[in-house]
Amino acid sequence: MSSNEQTPRITVVGYGSQGRAHAMNLRDSGFDVTVGLRPGGPTEVQAKADGFEVRPPADAVREADLVAVLTPDMVQKKLYEEVLAPNMKQGACLLFAHGLNVHFNMIAPREDLDVVLVAPKGPGALVRREYEIGRGVPCIWAVYQDKSGHAEQLALTYAGGLGGARANLIQTTFKEETETDLFGEQAVLCGGASALVQAGFETLVEAGYQPEIAYYEVLHELKLIVDLFYEGGITRMLEFISETAQYGDYVSGPRVIDAGTKARMKEVLKDIQDGTFTKNWVAEYEAGLPNYKKYKQADLDHPIEQVGKQLRAKMVWLNGQAAAAQPAGSQRAA
């Protein structure tokens, strides 16, 4: 591999939570990093304040050896077709942090390009914070198209620049990353968890219990359990909860999450695998997000949100945490 390929000139397109973390970590790892943003965009001021050269994406990618696409999924097709494909130099590397557009053929990369994926398994703030203290967040990586013969090394070099090699690097494919990521978000992390919490809250309130007590029991305390999961899996959770809670786990968990739930999860996965979900999501986006906005407003208007807002106002310790976690711009985290 040439010296140029060992230290590629990188353009990061997008400067949300992940984009900012990627750009800053890569720069601190010794890479020449340019940020591509549309003039006057909401994150341009932040990127310039962070000391980056900021150029319009079409200009920013022309001399780049590697272009990292860190914009929201639904703008990537237009970005690629109108900006990246006409302006990226021959033989460059196109990098994604999520494989949706490539896997579902919304983006057909030029044949001369290397195409890789590097996805840190954590939000941008954590990716940056762990790097700064000398550690790193694990990354998964994949190669979709290897024109140069060095695509794998480019992916590993980029992941190393993020700090991922300090933790763990796991090889995957665009298909596996995309389908498991979508499933995790929909069935467990976002869709599943929020629906479970709302149903639990409604069950208690409808039975006559105070909404404030219901909030604490089904939402607030969930963090304690999730932290234990995060630190040591189900084993650690079982070590730290009472025997009463353990017994309730064993006999009641399967009554709520049963074979029917798993069967419906398989239906969700099938819709992801055969492209139904992505087709519907693209159509929704192109229609102006009417259902998306309706669903979101229903969540925002749910009684648990009204009760939670009042209770959290009295949790003074949350104010500092919220400020520390505030991203520079919007970017997917799951």
Side-chain angles (χ1 to χ4, degrees):
M1 182 180 292
S2 70
S3 60
N4 187 53
E5 288 168 327
Q6 291 173 348
T7 55
R9 290 171 294 181
I10 298 173
T11 289
V12 172
V13 182
Y15 204 71
S17 175
Q18 285 289 340
R20 184 172 190 245
H22 285 223
M24 297 184 83
N25 289 8
L26 290 163
R27 180 177 62 185
D28 289 352
S29 293
F31 292 94
D32 177 359
V33 180
T34 299
V35 176
L37 296 171
R38 68 180 186 276
T43 52
E44 181 184 29
V45 173
Q46 179 69 69
K48 288 183 175 179
D50 289 336
F52 286 103
E53 178 184 4
V54 181
R55 297 160 62 186
D59 295 334
V61 304
R62 284 196 177 98
E63 299 303 318
D65 301 307
L66 186 152
V67 174
V69 181
L70 297 172
T71 58
D73 291 329
M74 288 298 101
V75 305
Q76 289 182 10
K77 182 178 188 294
K78 183 177 181 180
L79 173 70
Y80 176 76
E81 292 175 349
E82 296 183 2
V83 178
L84 304 185
N87 292 292
M88 286 180 65
K89 69 180 185 180
Q90 289 286 310
C93 179
L94 182 62
L95 181 144
F96 295 88
H98 181 43
L100 184 144
N101 277 275
V102 172
H103 175 56
F104 287 112
N105 302 312
M106 291 183 287
I107 290 177
R110 284 179 2 208
E111 292 185 2
D112 64 284
L113 301 174
D114 287 340
V115 183
V116 303
L117 178 147
V118 175
K121 301 314 291 178
L126 180 66
V127 173
R128 180 58 181 161
R129 184 166 67 248
E130 286 295 291
Y131 181 94
E132 289 182 300
I133 61 178
R135 299 189 304 221
V137 170
C139 292
I140 61 175
W141 64 275
V143 173
Y144 180 82
Q145 190 165 284
D146 184 8
K147 181 65 176 180
S148 70
H150 302 302
E152 177 177 329
Q153 186 56 51
L154 283 166
L156 293 173
T157 297
Y158 186 97
L162 296 183
R166 301 171 180 173
N168 192 20
L169 301 178
I170 302 175
Q171 186 174 8
T172 184
T173 63
F174 273 61
K175 171 182 169 63
E176 183 176 60
E177 185 278 334
T178 300
E179 294 176 358
T180 57
D181 184 82
L182 292 175
F183 176 80
E185 291 171 349
Q186 294 174 32
V188 180
L189 304 177
C190 304
S194 60
L196 185 67
V197 165
Q198 289 173 341
F201 178 85
E202 292 167 4
T203 299
L204 288 175
V205 172
E206 289 166 8
Y209 299 104
Q210 296 180 67
E212 293 81 4
I213 301 298
Y215 175 89
Y216 278 117
E217 293 301 333
V218 304
L219 190 153
H220 181 81
E221 293 190 17
L222 184 60
K223 182 184 187 306
L224 307 178
I225 302 303
V226 170
D227 283 349
L228 293 172
F229 282 157
Y230 185 79
E231 294 164 7
I234 294 173
T235 298
R236 184 167 177 83
M237 184 270 286
L238 293 174
E239 290 174 356
F240 280 83
I241 64 175
S242 69
E243 291 178 335
T244 302
Q246 287 186 52
Y247 182 69
D249 173 328
Y250 304 144
V251 300
S252 297
R255 295 174 65 190
V256 177
I257 307 299
D258 60 10
T261 307
K262 188 173 178 181
R264 290 188 293 275
M265 284 184 167
K266 289 184 176 181
E267 292 173 2
V268 169
L269 180 58
K270 180 179 180 296
D271 282 350
I272 291 168
Q273 292 171 325
D274 66 19
T276 298
F277 168 78
T278 298
K279 178 182 177 181
N280 291 343
W281 174 219
V282 170
E284 174 71 14
Y285 185 85
E286 292 178 346
L289 303 172
N291 293 303
Y292 171 97
K293 293 174 183 176
K294 180 178 67 176
Y295 299 147
K296 183 173 184 177
Q297 193 60 48
D299 270 356
L300 297 177
D301 292 340
H302 192 281
I304 198 172
E305 289 304 291
Q306 315 312 315
V307 173
K309 184 177 182 180
Q310 296 170 8
L311 293 176
R312 289 191 298 272
K314 297 178 174 64
M315 302 177 196
V316 293
W317 64 88
L318 292 179
N319 297 329
Q321 293 177 7
Q326 185 67 30
S330 61
Q331 179 73 15
R332 64 182 291 278

